Amino acid sequence: MAARPPRFVFFVVFCITIGGLLFGYDTGVISGALVVIKDEWDLNSTQQEFIVGGTTLGAIVGGLFSGYFADRWGRRTITFLSSVVFILGALIMAFSKHYSVLIGGRVVVGLAVGAASMVVPIYIGELAPKEFRGRLVTLNVLAITGGQLIAYLVSWGLADVHDGWRWMFAISAFPAAIQLCCLPWLPESPRVLIQRGQDERAHTILQRIYGNKVPESTVDDELESMRRSMRTETAASYRDLLRTVNFKPLIVACMLQLMQQFSGFNTAMYYSATILKMAGFSSTKSATQFSIAIAATNMLMTIVDISIIDRFGRRKLLLISFTGMIIGLALLGIAFIFIVGLVKITKDTCGEYIKCGACALDDRCNWSPGSMVCAPKSSTLYTDLTDNCEPVNGRDKAGTWLALASLIFYVALYAVGLGNVPWLVQSEIFAQGIRSRAGSIATATNWVSNFIVSVTFLTMTLHITASGTFWLYAGILLLGLVFVFFMVPETKGLKLEDVQKLFAGTGLPYRRRAVSRKNSQSSSVVGSRSTSGEITNTQLLRGSQE
């Protein structure tokens, strides 16, 4: 295999990953837009949570049903539809005049984001040569982090512009339009073409994927491996996912997606400007500036991950990522004790709050820096009421910078593992006949978890304190670390048709020895049952056991 994929592969991946950029832009732009919309429309914490959660609600539906249609219509068609729907949703948000219309636009965008988040990793995984699959699928996550960084830069630039939040939403239509222009040159997945009986087109696309430096016999072997897989598979249904050999990888994919969200990371993205205002950065613009630093860290560490994921492997990076994130969240909780105090934001009166951070979290209250008291927003006793918290002593300043440092550390460790690996593993571990359906369920799990976290974060900070919220996420990650250690196998360097063998039998997946590269590259008939215990693709799909 060549040292790097042909240019055609990079062009295809670039076009497909625009869907990831749209995903990232939306999760990032709401952070800056929400700070402005909250003040302009006088929104309470619940209303803010549902603006954030609107996209997630749509993504649950889009992610869940896109798998079925991706099998019927192909990966390319779903990519086209998601671009069109995203443009529609962006325009609805940009021109919304009422809270309910904005929520509707967020839901429409969510349909597109959910479909893209399901189909893009699978689309790239089926097109990518196995030696580069980890890096190429992870480019989608790089596009997501790039979209988040662009969103923060746009939010910072438009923070003081009249109706700037409308432009923030409108700008998101442009990448979707670019993707629509690319679509005529995008090929369909070779595996989908073989399912349709279009073997010659599949062979042509595989030749372009592998390039002229690879012998045609290699392409022929790859095509024949796919054909054998298709011949031995029968039509799959959602019921087949309940069979043991399919259910184990489904559990792995769903749990990784659930942990990705219950780590609280997207909360850090959605509410980063709000969190940093709570942490003592005194203005919306300064909080957004530091949000840019957080997004840049995410993107930079994703680039690092791309360079190492096919050498280090998926499992090792997950274990490192979980451990580091637990440490980061523990430190973030400690920082907020300095800033806000270990206090529930459920006081009967504003005057009971003794710290600005706690006062600013209560929708009823503002802080008077001159008098150092918390008072109702409607109070006329103080002329300097604000919801911005300026550090006034060494303890507050230490807490502020510890919060920023621990948040950046947490984001960096997320980016090298948990931010990328679930999407990659999801694109690898399922048999061809159930890949889209299983992927749609795992994607829906991600978005359901995302919705739960996004609509409960601010409420939890009110009732179990900000520190308690971060420590709760750390506890969930500790459980996830145990799950990864016992249940997640290594998949690097394997053909997609061989990865599912790691889940055959009754043992824990991580204890099963990976299929050797020699077997992975063998042209022996996959459909035969050998003395070494290999199983057929039909058995993989149907879950039959001896």
Side-chain angles (χ1 to χ4, degrees), residues 302-343:
T302 301
I303 294 173
V304 172
D305 186 66
I306 290 171
S307 68
I308 64 176
I309 194 166
D310 282 322
R311 288 186 289 116
F312 275 64
R314 291 66 158 143
R315 174 182 162 81
K316 185 182 294 184
L317 289 177
L318 276 177
L319 294 172
I320 293 171
S321 179
F322 271 82
T323 303
M325 290 176 71
I326 291 169
I327 295 171
L329 285 170
L331 292 174
L332 190 58
I334 293 171
F336 269 77
I337 291 179
F338 289 111
I339 300 163
V340 179
L342 200 60
V343 58

Side-chain angles (χ1 to χ4, degrees), residues 174-224:
F174 290 101
I178 293 173
Q179 188 173 54
L180 284 178
C181 294
C182 289
L183 277 171
W185 290 274
L186 284 186
E188 183 55 87
S189 163
R191 289 168 173 84
V192 171
L193 293 175
I194 293 172
Q195 282 181 321
R196 296 173 177 173
Q198 300 176 11
D199 290 20
E200 289 187 9
R201 287 186 61 193
H203 184 277
T204 301
I205 292 169
L206 283 172
Q207 185 67 66
R208 297 191 70 186
I209 289 171
Y210 280 92
N212 296 327
K213 295 181 180 180
V214 174
E216 189 166 346
S217 59
T218 300
V219 177
D220 292 337
D221 288 345
E222 183 74 13
L223 185 65
E224 183 57 30

Side-chain angles (χ1 to χ4, degrees), residues 22-50:
L22 294 171
F23 176 1
Y25 184 89
D26 180 76
T27 59
V29 78
I30 193 60
S31 174
L34 189 61
V35 176
V36 180
I37 296 170
K38 178 193 72 173
D39 294 334
E40 184 174 323
W41 288 1
D42 193 25
L43 303 178
N44 59 38
S45 60
T46 300
Q47 289 173 315
Q48 293 176 62
E49 287 170 339
F50 275 95

Side-chain angles (χ1 to χ4, degrees), residues 60-354:
I60 294 170
V61 178
L64 186 61
F65 289 100
S66 57
Y68 171 78
F69 291 110
D71 278 341
R72 289 182 62 88
W73 300 340
R75 289 41 165 156
R76 186 169 175 268
T77 301
I78 297 301
T79 303
F80 166 78
L81 292 175
S82 67
S83 297
V84 173
V85 174
F86 201 102
I87 293 172
L88 177 62
L91 295 176
I92 292 173
M93 291 189 297
F95 291 101
S96 61
K97 299 293 184 181
H98 303 285
Y99 173 75
S100 58
V101 177
L102 179 59
I103 293 290
R106 296 283 294 166
V107 171
V108 171
V109 164
L111 293 171
V113 168
S117 64
M118 189 288 299
V119 78
V120 169
I122 292 176
Y123 199 176
I124 298 174
E126 291 182 347
L127 285 168
K130 65 179 184 296
E131 292 86 354
F132 305 106
R133 190 172 61 242
R135 279 166 280 180
L136 292 175
V137 173
T138 306
L139 283 174
N140 178 54
V141 184
L142 179 62
I144 294 173
T145 60
Q148 290 169 339
L149 179 58
I150 292 170
Y152 285 125
L153 290 170
V154 169
S155 298
W156 176 74
L158 297 175
D160 297 326
V161 175
H162 177 65
D163 278 345
W165 64 269
R166 297 183 184 278
W167 284 104
M168 295 178 198
F169 290 135
I171 287 171
S172 64
F174 290 101
I178 293 173
Q179 188 173 54
L180 284 178
C181 294
C182 289
L183 277 171
W185 290 274
L186 284 186
E188 183 55 87
S189 163
R191 289 168 173 84
V192 171
L193 293 175
I194 293 172
Q195 282 181 321
R196 296 173 177 173
Q198 300 176 11
D199 290 20
E200 289 187 9
R201 287 186 61 193
H203 184 277
T204 301
I205 292 169
L206 283 172
Q207 185 67 66
R208 297 191 70 186
I209 289 171
Y210 280 92
N212 296 327
K213 295 181 180 180
V214 174
E216 189 166 346
S217 59
T218 300
V219 177
D220 292 337
D221 288 345
E222 183 74 13
L223 185 65
E224 183 57 30
S225 176
M226 293 180 188
R227 284 171 176 160
R228 286 195 300 266
S229 176
M230 301 302 172
R231 284 197 296 265
T232 56
E233 288 179 3
T234 54
S237 68
Y238 283 102
R239 183 179 299 177
D240 293 314
L241 292 170
L242 298 178
R243 300 182 182 275
T244 303
V245 76
N246 299 321
F247 191 64
K248 281 197 289 187
L250 182 64
I251 290 295
V252 168
C254 289
M255 280 296 294
L256 288 180
Q257 294 289 12
L258 184 142
M259 287 297 159
Q260 187 185 79
Q261 295 305 321
F262 279 7
S263 71
F265 175 78
N266 275 335
T267 294
M269 290 292 100
Y270 291 140
Y271 296 112
S272 59
T274 302
I275 290 170
L276 290 169
K277 285 186 71 177
M278 288 160 52
F281 293 95
S282 58
S283 70
T284 296
K285 196 148 190 172
S286 66
T288 303
Q289 286 174 333
F290 283 104
S291 295
I292 293 172
I294 293 169
T297 300
N298 189 21
M299 185 174 181
L300 177 63
M301 294 307 294
T302 301
I303 294 173
V304 172
D305 186 66
I306 290 171
S307 68
I308 64 176
I309 194 166
D310 282 322
R311 288 186 289 116
F312 275 64
R314 291 66 158 143
R315 174 182 162 81
K316 185 182 294 184
L317 289 177
L318 276 177
L319 294 172
I320 293 171
S321 179
F322 271 82
T323 303
M325 290 176 71
I326 291 169
I327 295 171
L329 285 170
L331 292 174
L332 190 58
I334 293 171
F336 269 77
I337 291 179
F338 289 111
I339 300 163
V340 179
L342 200 60
V343 58
K344 297 179 181 179
I345 314 303
T346 54
K347 302 296 185 181
D348 293 329
T349 64
C350 295
E352 295 181 63
Y353 298 116
I354 60 174

